[in-house]
Amino acid sequence: MANHKIKVKVQGVEHEAEVESRLLLVHFLREVLGLTGTHIGCDTTHCGACTVLLDGQPVKSCTVLAVQADGREVMTVEGLEKDGQLHPIQEGFWQEHGLQCGYCTPGMMITGYALLERNPDPSELEIRQAISGNLCRCTGYVNIVKSVQYAAAKLRPSAE
Ligand code: FES
Ligand code: FES
């Protein structure tokens, strides 16, 4: 198995590592960098618990090789909080009870964050479409939608 030197920026900080060709991005994040907020919920690319941003786009990190992230930027759920302040998407899940077991939550929050970056005022249908690749076995999704709506309202300039 060949090894490769890679450089990946995670939450803006560059990390260099030597990794096997077959190492998945989710394992790189969790096991090499210790960022265990990104979860693994399946081995079939279905659940979305492993969702991170790769150059700003949500990807399922169990379906991306670490070497594919070479020279690119990753943001994980740990990157949402800034200077001890929760991001509005995190506040939304807190305020609207958008989780029960919490297993899907990191992926849901990253997907919700990415949606609001490209569409600050999504309809309920647009939110449901955006999270359609993220499975939750606990909540029934109603409060997850409300959590994203909370964040959208909080992020709108008029909310300040
Ligand atoms: S762990 Fe990646 S989609 Fe389920
Ligand atoms: S809160 Fe349990 S899987 Fe979503």
Side-chain angles (χ1 to χ4, degrees), residues 38-97:
T38 302
H39 290 168
I40 305 172
C42 69
D43 56 9
T44 52
T45 317
H46 273 85
C47 76
C50 63
T51 305
V52 301
L53 298 186
L54 183 60
D55 289 341
Q57 294 298 318
V59 296
K60 292 179 174 174
S61 60
C62 71
T63 312
V64 176
L65 294 167
V67 292
Q68 291 176 288
D70 184 27
R72 301 174 74 182
E73 298 218 14
V74 172
M75 189 178 115
T76 68
V77 69
E78 288 91 345
L80 288 171
E81 183 188 321
K82 293 272 184 292
D83 302 325
Q85 288 287 111
L86 293 182
H87 186 276
I89 193 79
Q90 295 172 300
E91 261 184 63
F93 276 78
W94 172 279
Q95 294 292 344
E96 300 293 342
H97 311 287

Side-chain angles (χ1 to χ4, degrees), residues 98-105 108 135-139 144:
L99 61 138
Q100 288 180 31
C101 80
Y103 206 85
C104 69
T105 312
M108 289 289 185
L135 301 183
C136 177
R137 65 182 184 176
C138 305
T139 65
I144 292 174

